[in-house]
Amino acid sequence: TSRRTVAAHSLNGESSRSHAFLTVRVLSAVGGPAGTGVDSKLMFCDLAGSERLKRSEVSGEHAREAIDTNSSLSALGDVIEAIVHRRRHIPYRNHKLTQLLQDSLGGSAKALIFA
């Protein structure tokens, strides 16, 4: 976490400016169907929070970071909404964040979200 980018603004003295990911693969030689192994993936994500530019009073590079963060979280919301409503098209390709999380959100994946 020493590489995690943080910056202060009017609402938060140590605001996270980036998302952080940790992926753990668990491989088992036994336990799968017909004696095959099991390959599992656990993905832990700490997502940067969204912020309103006017209220946080950021400018320059920090404003660009806030806009990018808000865009990624909006794309994630679009994907979750499409999954919940069982839409035919899930917009994973709309943002790099949703592309990274695609395996963890769709299909037989289980996802827990803590706010």
Side-chain angles (χ1 to χ4, degrees):
T1 60
S2 62
R3 296 183 300 182
R4 187 89 188 256
T5 305
V6 296
H9 58 72
S10 66
L11 299 176
N12 188 344
E14 206 172 283
S15 177
S16 172
R17 311 308 294 173
S18 60
H19 304 309
F21 296 89
L22 171 66
T23 303
V24 178
R25 286 192 66 194
V26 180
L27 303 172
S28 173
V30 295
T36 61
V38 175
D39 183 0
S40 302
K41 179 170 78 169
L42 299 172
M43 181 174 278
F44 299 92
C45 308
D46 182 10
L47 301 177
S50 65
E51 56 189 56
R52 295 207 165 101
L53 292 177
K54 286 183 180 181
R55 290 187 63 201
S56 63
E57 300 174 359
V58 294
S59 61
E61 182 64 25
H62 295 306
R64 180 79 246 151
E65 291 170 347
I67 290 167
D68 290 343
T69 297
N70 291 346
S71 172
S72 68
L73 295 174
S74 178
L76 178 59
D78 293 343
V79 165
I80 292 171
E81 181 182 7
I83 291 170
V84 167
H85 294 296
R86 301 182 189 272
R87 297 209 175 107
R88 291 182 66 188
H89 173 71
I90 310 296
Y92 292 114
R93 297 177 74 188
N94 287 357
H95 199 278
K96 186 68 175 174
L97 173 66
T98 53
Q99 290 175 14
L100 279 169
L101 293 175
Q102 182 172 355
D103 289 349
S104 301
L105 295 172
S108 63
K110 305 280 189 262
L112 296 173
I113 300 174
F114 300 95

